[in-house]
């Protein structure tokens, strides 16, 4: 089975666990994860994004063909309907997921993470749910005695493209506060405390 690396279109980041491997609900092997939110309208209207999306779909299908000789009539595909992504406690659709396509990717090894200048992102606060990125991924097929057949996505590397509104609603301090007129000058000239 050939390893095929493919590059995603631009997506909005959701639930990023790219700095530390985590478990889901305290179960399973710890992994690095990210949920990618794709906007169908953008994928349809932007030729470059549409081309990358078609390459993703073809790569996922090829993973199934490589595993079983042909694409099965029934198997779990890696794409999720954003309207099905709901908070277990409230039942509400997660913010930003409405009418979107979701692709969840994971890996056992920490993915490379770069900024728009291709410099490493070292601070966790710089890569958050709500920013925009693209990634290199691969698809693989699997078969489970009780869960049937499926194709999933493995995460390779990620590049942040631009900032966006955070899903948490948390703003930065510079967004919340403006400089207070005259304060810097007064602070610089007041040396009486040190005399």
């Amino acid at each position: 089975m050939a390893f095929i690396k493919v590059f995603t279109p631009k997506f909005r980041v959701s639930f990023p666990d790219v700095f530390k491997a985590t478990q889901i609900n305290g179960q399973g092997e710890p992994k690095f994860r990210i949920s990618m939110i794709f906007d169908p309208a953008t994928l349809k209207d932007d030729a470059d994004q549409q081309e990358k999306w078609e390459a993703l779909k073809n790569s996922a299908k090829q993973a199934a063909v490589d595993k079983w000789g042909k694409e099965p009539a029934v198997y779990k595909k890696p794409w999720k309907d954003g309207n099905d992504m709901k908070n277990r406690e409230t039942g509400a659709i997660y913010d930003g997921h409405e009418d979107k396509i979701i692709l969840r990717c994971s890996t056992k090894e920490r993915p490379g993470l770069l900024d728009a200048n291709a410099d490493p992102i070292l601070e966790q606060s710089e890569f958050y749910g709500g920013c925009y990125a693209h990634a290199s991924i691969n698809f693989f097929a699997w078969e489970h005695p009780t869960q049937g057949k499926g194709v999933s996505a493995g995460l390779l590397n990620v590049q942040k493209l631009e900032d966006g509104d955070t899903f948490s609603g948390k703003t930065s301090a510079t967004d919340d506060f403006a400089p207070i007129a005259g304060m810097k000058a007064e602070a610089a000239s007041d040396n009486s405390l040190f005399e």
Side-chain angles (χ1 to χ4, degrees), residues 104-179:
R104 293 186 284 191
C105 301
S106 65
T107 179
K108 295 177 186 177
E109 297 179 16
R110 184 173 175 176
L113 179 61
L114 303 178
D115 64 17
N117 296 316
D119 292 322
I121 295 177
L122 304 176
E123 295 295 326
Q124 193 166 346
S125 61
E126 292 298 311
F127 192 76
Y128 52 89
C131 70
Y132 292 87
H134 62 174
S136 56
I137 66 174
N138 72 299
F139 290 99
F140 58 92
W142 50 267
E143 195 164 350
H144 190 275
T146 59
Q147 297 180 20
K149 297 177 179 180
V151 171
S152 294
L155 180 61
L156 301 174
N157 297 297
V158 184
Q159 182 178 35
K160 178 181 174 182
L161 298 174
E162 61 189 70
D163 287 309
D165 293 333
T166 63
F167 286 130
S168 67
K170 186 178 187 303
T171 56
S172 69
T174 55
D175 288 338
D176 286 351
F177 303 107

Side-chain angles (χ1 to χ4, degrees), residues 16-23 30-33 107 110-111 124:
D17 287 321
V18 293
F19 288 90
K20 181 180 177 183
T22 61
Q23 295 175 299
K31 292 183 180 180
F32 298 91
R33 295 180 175 82
T107 179
R110 184 173 175 176
Q124 193 166 346

Side-chain angles (χ1 to χ4, degrees), residues 7 19 27 37 41 56 63 73 86-87 96 107 118 121-122 173 180 185 187:
F7 294 89
F19 288 90
Q27 299 179 351
I37 303 175
L56 277 191
K86 298 179 181 179
N87 184 303
T107 179
I121 295 177
L122 304 176
I180 299 172

Side-chain angles (χ1 to χ4, degrees), residues 10-86:
K10 177 180 176 180
F11 60 86
R12 192 171 184 199
V13 173
S14 181
F15 299 111
D17 287 321
V18 293
F19 288 90
K20 181 180 177 183
T22 61
Q23 295 175 299
I24 294 180
N25 299 321
Q27 299 179 351
E29 186 176 3
K31 292 183 180 180
F32 298 91
R33 295 180 175 82
I34 189 171
S35 288
M36 304 174 179
I37 303 175
F38 297 99
D39 184 346
T42 301
L43 296 175
K44 181 181 177 184
D45 297 339
D46 185 305
D48 178 61
Q49 299 299 304
Q50 186 177 39
E51 183 178 334
K52 289 178 179 176
W53 181 251
E54 290 301 318
L56 277 191
K57 292 195 302 184
N58 290 337
S59 182
K61 180 178 179 179
Q62 189 61 50
V65 172
D66 288 347
K67 174 83 171 172
W68 297 296
K70 63 178 183 178
E71 187 178 19
V74 177
Y75 69 102
K76 294 181 181 177
K77 296 183 180 177
W79 332 108
K80 308 292 180 195
D81 183 338
N83 294 318
D84 294 334
M85 308 297 287
K86 298 179 181 179

